Amino acid sequence: MVALVVASLLNIPFGTIYAFSVFLRPMEQEIGVTRAEMSVVFAGATVALAVGMNLLAPLARRFHGATLITVAGLVGALGVLLVTRADGFWMLFLGYGVLFGLGGGVSFTAVQQCVNQAMPRPSGLANGYVVSTYPIGAMIGAPVFSATLHLWGIVPTLWLLAATLALAGIVGGALYRHAGLTLVSRAAALSPPAPVALADPHFVRLFVVFFFTASAGLMVLGQAAGMLHAYGAGSAMAAAATTLITAVLAASRLAGGWLVDHLQMRVVALGANLCALLGAVLITAWPSPVTALFALSMLAAGYGLMSGSSAGYLPRVWPRDLFATLAARLYVAWCLAAVCLPVLAGWLFDLTGGYRAALMVAAAGNLTGAWFARRIAWVPEPAPIKTG
C-alpha cells in the first residue's frame, strides 16, 4: 500500500504533462514563443520522459531508491522553476522539455518497479492503477491550472507546480525509506537475472501492438478538441469532452490492468485494438458531434486498455527485477507513437481540412495491431513470488 501511495505522490503532479495545452497561450504571451516552438518543447519533454525511463535501471544499481525518487521530484521542480525565469525558447526547452521530462521519466519507472517489488505476486490491477495516475494528474491539473492562471497568472501557477513536485519527491523518498521498499531484490543484487534480448520475439510483438494502439490514442489526446470542432462540436462541448476523454483513459488503464489478471494478454490486446478500430469506423461512417465524442472515447479506451494491461503483463513473463528495463523499452514505443501519427494527423488536416484520412490511418494501424496481438505469448497462471 505504501508503494502505491509513493506512486500516486510522484505520478499525479508529473502527469500534468498531459495538461500541457493549458499553458500554451499564457506561455506564448508571457515568454514570447510561437506555437511551433511550444510544440517542440512538448515533444522534447516526451523524448526526455522516455530517456529518463531508460536511465532508471542503471541508476538503480548505483543509488538508493529513496534518493532517486527524491532527486527526480527535485529535478522536475527545478525544471519548472527555470520556466518561471525563461525569457525565450531555449530556457523554456531546458526547463520543461528536458529537466521536467527527465524527472518524470525516472520517477515513473522507479515507482512502477517499487510497486512490483512490493507485491507478493504480479498484480495487473496495481500496475493499471500506477499508469492511470498520469491521466488522473491531468484531470486534476487542468482545472486547477486554469483557475490559478486566471486568478494569479503564469508565474505563481508554475511556482505551485514546482512546490508540489519538490514536496512529492521529498515525502515520497521519506516514505520509501521508512517502509523499507526496494527497487532491486536481494537475490537479484547477488545474482542479476539474464538480460532480455532486444530481438526477443515475445517482447517485439508486445512493442509493435503497443505502438499501434498508442498512436491512435495519443492522436486523440493531443487533438481531441480540434477533432471535435472539425465534426461540428461547439467550444463548450469540445472542452468538456477533452476532460471526459482523459477520464476514459484513466479508467481504461485501470480496467486493462484488472483484465490481464483474469484474461490472457493476447485477448485484452486484441480487444483493445478492436475497440479503437470500431471507434474509427463509427466516426467515419456517421460523422457528427455526438458520434465523434463516442468514437474518440473508444480510441482513447483502446489505448488505455493496452497501456494498463501491458504494465500488468510484463512481470508475468519476465523477472520482476527486469521490470524497469522492459517497461522503459516498451515506453519507447509510446515515445515513437507520440511523434508519428499525431504529427501525421496534423499534416493531413492541413492538407485535407478534416480528420477522415488520419482516422483511416489509425484504423489501419489498429487492424495491424489486432493481427499482431493474436500471437502475444500465452502465459500460465503465475505462482506467488517469493520476496527478498
Side-chain angles (χ1 to χ4, degrees):
M1 181 60 72
V2 176
L4 292 175
V5 172
V6 173
S8 301
L9 281 172
L10 271 294
N11 281 357
I12 288 176
F14 273 117
T16 58
I17 189 174
Y18 282 157
F20 180 74
S21 60
V22 174
F23 291 118
L24 287 178
R25 292 188 65 187
M27 284 187 180
E28 289 167 357
Q29 294 169 358
E30 184 77 17
I31 303 174
V33 291
T34 66
R35 182 64 56 93
E37 288 173 328
M38 290 295 291
S39 298
V40 171
V41 170
F42 182 74
T46 303
V47 173
L49 202 70
V51 171
M53 291 172 181
N54 282 275
L55 286 175
L56 187 276
L59 289 173
R61 293 193 292 267
R62 295 171 173 81
F63 301 98
H64 194 279
T67 302
L68 290 176
I69 285 174
T70 301
V71 170
L74 294 176
V75 167
L78 175 62
V80 175
L81 287 176
L82 278 180
V83 175
T84 67
R85 307 292 298 174
D87 56 1
F89 167 76
W90 287 109
M91 190 174 289
L92 174 60
F93 183 82
L94 175 62
Y96 198 94
V98 177
L99 295 179
F100 180 84
L102 284 175
V106 170
S107 71
F108 189 70
T109 41
V111 297
Q112 279 192 295
Q113 178 83 357
C114 162
V115 166
N116 280 281
Q117 293 287 11
M119 296 293 166
R121 59 180 293 168
S123 172
L125 183 60
N127 278 290
Y129 169 74
V130 173
V131 295
S132 73
T133 50
Y134 254 51
I136 289 172
M139 290 169 59
I140 296 172
V144 170
F145 293 159
S146 296
T148 55
L149 285 168
H150 177 72
L151 292 173
W152 304 329
I154 182 69
V155 172
T157 297
L158 292 172
W159 285 343
L160 175 64
L161 176 57
T164 303
L165 286 167
L167 184 62
I170 294 168
V171 174
L175 286 174
Y176 180 104
R177 192 181 297 275
H178 179 74
L181 300 173
T182 183
L183 296 179
V184 181
S185 68
R186 188 178 301 112
L190 296 174
S191 179
V196 177
L198 288 173
D200 183 320
H202 300 314
F203 185 81
V204 170
R205 291 188 195 104
L206 184 67
F207 186 98
V208 170
V209 178
F210 192 94
F211 168 77
F212 283 116
T213 318
S215 293
L218 290 169
M219 175 187 69
V220 171
L221 289 174
Q223 304 183 41
M227 295 178 82
L228 283 160
H229 281 307
Y231 284 95
S235 298
M237 181 179 179
T242 302
T243 301
L244 175 62
I245 289 169
T246 308
V248 168
L249 175 64
S252 58
R253 282 184 170 183
L254 188 62
W258 180 83
L259 284 171
V260 85
D261 282 336
H262 302 279
L263 300 173
Q264 286 291 330
M265 179 65 201
R266 62 172 66 175
V267 176
V268 183
L270 181 62
N273 278 277
L274 291 178
C275 175
L277 175 62
L278 287 174
V281 170
L282 174 65
I283 193 173
T284 302
W286 296 283
S288 75
V290 175
T291 56
L293 176 58
F294 278 102
L296 297 182
S297 297
M298 291 174 72
L299 285 158
Y303 167 45
L305 288 169
M306 188 65 198
S307 178
S309 59
S310 297
Y313 175 72
L314 290 176
R316 292 179 179 274
V317 181
W318 294 280
R320 60 177 176 168
D321 288 293
L322 294 177
F323 181 90
T325 299
L326 293 171
R329 288 184 191 174
L330 186 62
Y331 294 138
V332 172
W334 170 81
C335 181
L336 292 173
V339 298
C340 287
L341 185 54
V343 174
L344 177 62
W347 179 78
L348 289 172
F349 177 81
D350 290 338
L351 188 67
T352 65
Y355 282 98
R356 182 184 177 88
L359 286 162
M360 292 177 68
V361 173
N366 285 126
L367 192 60
T368 306
W371 188 86
F372 276 98
R374 298 179 304 111
R375 301 190 62 194
I376 290 177
W378 192 280
V379 296
E381 182 67 18
I385 297 176
K386 296 180 180 179
T387 58

